[in-house]
Amino acid sequence: DAETANGRITLEDTEVEEGSISTQNGRLEIINVKGKTFTGTTDNGSIRGKMSCERAELKTDNGSIRIAPKEKGEYEIETDMGSISIDIDRHVPYHIEARTDMGKIRVAPDLEIASKEKHCIIVESATFAEAEEKLSIDAKTDMGSIRIE
């Protein structure tokens, strides 16, 4: 675990059973992190992550979030004011629910859209329902766009 009031936190090339990093003002960088349960929070700052976690929560009040989850897992991603960008590994069956109150949701043309409404899109691979190892992402921003690549 790591916590600071002001400043960036970088966690790189690490395996954690349970881990959390938090800062009030600063960026979180999570690079090549593997783990069971992981939480990253910042009040004011962006979050960048390349990770493989069974369960992860990434939250910021003011800032963008960009993640590239590798392998299976459940991810909860939330920002009040900022954009979200998700880079999906096409080899893992996926289910992504993306919601924004004010902003657009863009989905790469090769991804399968299961449901589409004005402020909510569900993207799901054809093999998700029967897969044993899968990637599930719940992404929400109050004010900002979401891009699923």
Side-chain angles (χ1 to χ4, degrees):
D1 293 350
E3 184 176 341
T4 182
N6 295 299
R8 176 178 63 187
I9 298 176
T10 301
L11 189 61
E12 189 171 3
D13 299 325
T14 302
E15 288 193 32
V16 295
E17 183 71 22
E18 282 188 33
S20 69
I21 56 175
S22 66
T23 181
Q24 291 177 0
N25 298 295
R27 178 181 186 163
L28 301 181
E29 295 179 351
I30 306 149
I31 304 163
N32 298 325
V33 172
K34 289 186 175 189
K36 191 167 190 158
T37 306
F38 186 81
T39 304
T41 58
T42 178
D43 292 337
N44 297 296
S46 63
I47 299 174
R48 301 287 181 265
K50 279 188 179 178
M51 55 202 311
S52 298
C53 294
E54 290 180 28
R55 175 117 181 89
E57 291 183 23
L58 304 173
K59 296 185 181 185
T60 179
D61 291 337
N62 298 299
S64 64
I65 299 175
R66 181 172 180 84
I67 67 159
K70 305 298 177 197
E71 302 176 12
K72 64 178 181 163
E74 294 180 20
Y75 292 80
E76 186 177 321
I77 304 162
E78 185 174 343
T79 178
D80 291 338
M81 294 182 66
S83 63
I84 296 175
S85 181
I86 304 167
D87 185 9
I88 297 300
D89 181 352
R90 295 338 191 241
H91 296 96
V92 180
Y94 55 85
H95 172 92
I96 303 158
E97 185 168 339
R99 288 170 280 134
T100 179
D101 291 338
M102 296 182 72
K104 292 185 177 188
I105 302 173
R106 293 188 176 101
V107 178
D110 66 317
L111 297 175
E112 301 168 42
I113 296 175
S115 170
K116 184 175 183 178
E117 297 175 20
K118 185 174 181 180
H119 296 288
C120 180
I121 289 180
I122 296 174
V123 179
E124 186 173 289
S125 62
T127 58
F128 181 80
E130 65 271 2
E132 289 183 31
E133 294 190 358
K134 39 183 129 180
L135 175 64
S136 179
I137 300 174
D138 185 12
K140 182 181 185 311
T141 179
D142 291 338
M143 189 176 293
S145 63
I146 298 176
R147 183 182 319 189
I148 304 168
E149 307 172 311

